[in-house]
Amino acid sequence: MVLCQGGEAAAVSAVGGKEPEVPLSQEDGAGTGQPCLCPAAGMEAAGAEERRVCGCCLSVAGTKKKACPGLGLFYTILSAFLFSVASLFLKKIEDVHSVEVSAFRCVFQMAFVLPGLIYYKTGFLGPKGKRIFLFFRGLLGSSAMILIYYAFQVMPLADATVITFTSPVFTSLLAWIFLKEKYSLWDLLFTLFAVTGVVLIARPPFLFGSNVTGIEGSYTDHVKGTIAAITSTVSGASTFVIIRKVGKSVHYFLSIWYYAVIGLIGCVIALFVMNEWSLPSCGRDRVLLILIGLLGLGGQIFLTKALQIEKAGPVAIMKTMDVVFAFILQILFLNHLPTWWTVGGALCVVASSSGTAIRKWRQSLKKAKQNEI
């Protein structure tokens, strides 16, 4: 999901991939300037004895400019908060179908991605051999969005949010089936943890009896929401597998473009078939729709920035803050106290997703060390 390389990476490659050594006597920047790492600062006058040092390198001459420690994790928390607030606003909308909300979200996505496509000159269709993958990525991704929006509307916010965190487990399972990636006993254990968490949230009557408490509306709607959330999670996991299959041959913006365009077309068709297309009846719902689009876009931007400057493992673990924010917002603004079953299910799912993320992270670090050797 990295959009582009930062200036530091380009600078290191410009000097042969090695960082220049800085004598201890010159670490304060005094005396003769060290070669500047910034690509734009490599211009020298012919025969000049000293190289110019640009302003961004004056702090410690000859060293890389590093990101603030923990900034990536902060971006992840901020992204989780924005996504959670967007979900809260979705529940506050009264007379707008989830498919219509999804259509508005797709419009915001298209408005954001279009300038990027023009700037990077990626085209609008992508490579011929990859278009079928991009089509299914868009179809499955937009379907996941519509289904999770429906789940947010018919079941408790925390319950739907927790179910979405089974995505890493389903991703590992689908990658094993379609990409022939390794699936170990640890992966099986994490899958069982995730399934246990979903069962605790859904609370089927044949296990928990007919008197199910702590749900919104009827139990039928609760089951429909649970099925929609699980299907959304599987669809989302499928898009990750497709993106992994496509690799770096397709720009990230093009992937989002397919997601938004196919999603918008599908939403418009579905709304006319269901006869649900209508502008929000009041100004409050219109404002909430705009805020949902902006918050969702902001959440994606900060999550992408987090992945640019932080390893995927810590980001995946910190993203479990989504669950914490969902519980807090549900209690404060929806006056709905989660049951102990929901709390237990959340712990199982978070343990499963965190375990999967930590394991994948350790595997990537081990592989990186082996490549260095």
Side-chain angles (χ1 to χ4, degrees):
M1 294 175 67
V2 178
L3 299 181
C4 61
Q5 290 183 338
E8 296 87 0
V12 172
S13 62
V15 294
K18 296 180 180 179
E19 297 179 19
E21 297 180 359
V22 184
L24 294 176
S25 60
Q26 295 180 4
E27 283 186 350
D28 58 352
T32 304
Q34 296 295 318
C36 179
L37 292 180
C38 294
M43 297 180 296
E44 307 176 17
E49 297 180 357
E50 294 183 355
R51 295 183 180 180
R52 292 183 297 170
V53 182
C54 72
C56 66
C57 298
L58 288 176
S59 56
V60 180
T63 59
K64 289 196 304 179
K65 186 178 179 182
K66 295 183 179 180
C68 177
L71 184 61
L73 299 183
F74 172 75
Y75 283 154
T76 307
I77 295 175
L78 184 56
S79 169
F81 178 74
L82 294 179
F83 281 133
S84 298
V85 175
S87 301
L88 174 66
F89 287 163
L90 180 62
K91 292 192 71 66
K92 288 291 186 179
I93 292 181
E94 296 178 353
D95 298 320
V96 182
H97 198 279
S98 59
V99 178
E100 188 171 349
V101 179
S102 302
F104 277 94
R105 172 73 182 274
C106 289
V107 170
F108 275 94
Q109 296 274 50
M110 292 173 63
F112 168 73
V113 173
L114 184 59
L117 293 178
I118 296 173
Y119 177 79
Y120 289 107
K121 299 178 181 179
T122 62
F124 296 96
L125 297 178
K128 289 185 177 180
K130 306 295 182 181
R131 291 175 186 173
I132 185 64
F133 294 109
L134 288 170
F135 172 80
F136 280 107
R137 182 267 183 269
L139 181 64
L140 292 170
S142 57
S143 299
M145 174 182 61
I146 295 170
L147 290 169
I148 195 57
Y149 278 5
Y150 173 78
F152 280 136
Q153 286 187 331
V154 301
M155 66 186 303
L157 178 63
D159 291 15
T161 302
V162 168
I163 293 176
T164 63
F165 272 84
T166 59
S167 179
V169 176
F170 287 114
T171 302
S172 298
L173 183 61
L174 292 174
W176 171 58
I177 296 173
F178 295 104
L179 301 181
K180 308 304 180 183
E181 294 186 3
K182 185 178 179 181
Y183 190 81
S184 66
L185 289 176
W186 280 108
D187 294 312
L188 178 59
L189 178 63
F190 295 143
T191 301
L192 294 176
F193 262 93
V195 171
T196 301
V198 172
V199 170
L200 291 176
I201 291 172
R203 281 161 283 169
F206 67 88
L207 290 177
F208 294 84
S210 57
N211 187 18
V212 180
T213 59
I215 62 175
E216 291 181 1
S218 66
Y219 183 74
T220 302
D221 288 339
H222 185 78
V223 171
K224 289 180 180 178
T226 301
I227 295 174
I230 295 173
T231 308
S232 169
T233 303
V234 174
S235 297
S238 301
T239 64
F240 295 151
V241 174
I242 293 174
I243 292 172
R244 190 178 300 176
K245 175 70 174 179
V246 171
K248 297 181 180 179
S249 60
V250 176
H251 198 280
Y252 177 69
F253 275 166
L254 193 59
S255 177
I256 300 179
W257 175 254
Y258 267 82
Y259 171 95
V261 172
I262 294 177
L264 180 60
I265 294 173
C267 288
V268 172
I269 294 174
L271 287 170
F272 277 106
V273 170
M274 298 184 300
N275 196 25
E276 291 283 352
W277 179 263
S278 63
L279 289 176
S281 57
C282 66
R284 174 176 172 271
D285 284 350
R286 296 174 188 176
V287 172
L288 289 178
L289 274 176
I290 295 173
L291 289 176
I292 289 171
L294 293 176
L295 289 170
L297 183 58
Q300 278 197 336
I301 291 173
F302 281 113
L303 183 59
T304 301
K305 290 178 70 67
L307 289 169
Q308 285 179 325
I309 61 178
E310 185 60 79
K311 291 181 175 63
V315 170
I317 296 170
M318 190 58 67
K319 201 176 182 308
T320 56
M321 286 297 296
D322 274 0
V323 177
V324 177
F325 288 133
F327 275 96
I328 294 174
L329 295 176
Q330 178 176 300
I331 295 171
L332 293 180
F333 297 100
L334 300 177
N335 297 319
H336 188 94
L337 289 174
T339 64
W340 287 110
W341 294 116
T342 298
V343 174
L347 292 175
C348 288
V349 171
V350 169
S352 173
S353 60
S354 299
T356 302
I358 293 173
R359 185 172 177 276
K360 296 296 183 184
W361 179 30
R362 292 184 62 182
Q363 286 179 342
S364 64
L365 292 178
K366 184 178 180 180
K367 186 178 296 184
K369 290 181 179 179
Q370 290 175 348
N371 292 336
E372 289 178 1
I373 297 174

